[in-house]
Amino acid sequence: MAATHKQTKVFVPAHGFAFVLVAAGFASYAFVPSALSAQLLAIFHRFGLAPATVVAIGMLFGPAQVLARICELSFARRLHPLWIARGAIGLLVAAFVLLALLPFSAALAAIFAIMFGTANGLLTIARGTVPLALFGASGYGRLMGRIGGPFLVVQAVAPVMVTFVADHASDAIGLALVAAFAAIAFVCFALIRQPS
C-alpha cells in the first residue's frame, strides 16, 4: 500500500488586526530611512550648514546605529521586542519634534542624526524579532515575506515622493511628510496588544 503523505498547512495570521498593524507600522517606518537617506544631508546644507559640517553630521548616523544594537543586546535582552520598537519609533518622533521646535543649528542637526541612527539601529533588529515574538516561529518565512512586500514598496516610493515635495513645496514640508510617516508607525505599534 502506497504511503500517503499528509500536507501540513502553516497558519500565517495574514488577515488579523495585529498582523495589519505590524505590516503597516513597518511599512510606514520604511518611508523614513529611505526618504532621509536621499534628502536629509542636502536639506541640512540648504538650511545653512557648511558642506564639511554636513558630512561630519552624516558620519554620526552609522556609529549611532551600531551603539544602539550593542546596547540592545547588552541591556534589553529581556524586554519584549514590541517595546523596543515602540521606544525606537518614539525616539524618532521626538527627534522630529526637536527639529520642528528648536532653532536650527549644527548641534541640533547632530542630535537629530544620532537619534535617527539609534532608532534605525533598533528597528532593523525589531523587524525580525517583533513578528517572531507576536506570531511565533510557525510560517515565519512566509510571514516575513508578507510584511516585507509593503515595506519594499514604500521604501521604493519614499525618495521620489520626498524629493518631489521638497522641490515643489519646501524642505520643511518634506521633513513634515517624513515625520507624519514616523507618527503613523508609532500609532500602529502603540495599538498592538502584547500577548499575555
Side-chain angles (χ1 to χ4, degrees):
M1 202 171 166
T4 56
H5 296 281
K6 240 182 173 181
Q7 282 191 342
T8 306
K9 286 189 177 179
V10 178
F11 174 71
V12 178
H15 304 293
F17 186 54
F19 174 85
V20 171
L21 288 173
V22 170
F26 282 120
S28 299
Y29 175 72
F31 191 94
V32 180
S34 183
L36 292 185
S37 65
Q39 283 292 325
L40 184 63
L41 297 184
I43 287 173
F44 283 170
H45 177 55
R46 291 193 292 268
F47 279 179
L49 296 184
T53 305
V54 170
V55 171
I57 289 169
M59 290 171 63
L60 296 173
F61 179 77
Q65 284 192 114
V66 174
L67 187 60
R69 290 168 185 162
I70 292 171
C71 290
E72 196 260 349
L73 286 171
S74 301
F75 306 112
R77 282 185 178 182
R78 296 183 181 179
L79 200 60
H80 194 281
L82 186 55
W83 284 104
I84 300 289
R86 287 170 176 165
I89 292 286
L91 182 67
L92 184 62
V93 171
F96 278 108
V97 170
L98 289 177
L99 200 60
L101 297 182
L102 298 179
F104 184 75
S105 65
L108 180 61
I111 291 168
F112 181 89
I114 291 169
M115 293 173 76
F116 171 39
T118 300
N120 196 62
L122 294 173
L123 280 158
T124 301
I125 298 171
R127 269 190 71 199
T129 56
V130 168
L132 183 63
L134 291 176
F135 306 120
S138 179
Y140 179 75
R142 289 171 58 194
L143 177 67
M144 291 304 293
R146 294 184 185 191
I147 290 172
F151 185 97
L152 292 173
V153 170
V154 174
Q155 193 176 53
V157 168
V160 178
M161 188 181 296
V162 170
T163 300
F164 179 85
V165 171
D167 288 347
H168 291 80
S170 69
D171 289 329
I173 292 176
L175 287 175
L177 176 64
V178 181
F181 274 88
I184 292 168
F186 181 78
V187 170
C188 288
F189 285 113
L191 290 175
I192 298 168
R193 295 185 64 181
Q194 182 177 329
S196 51

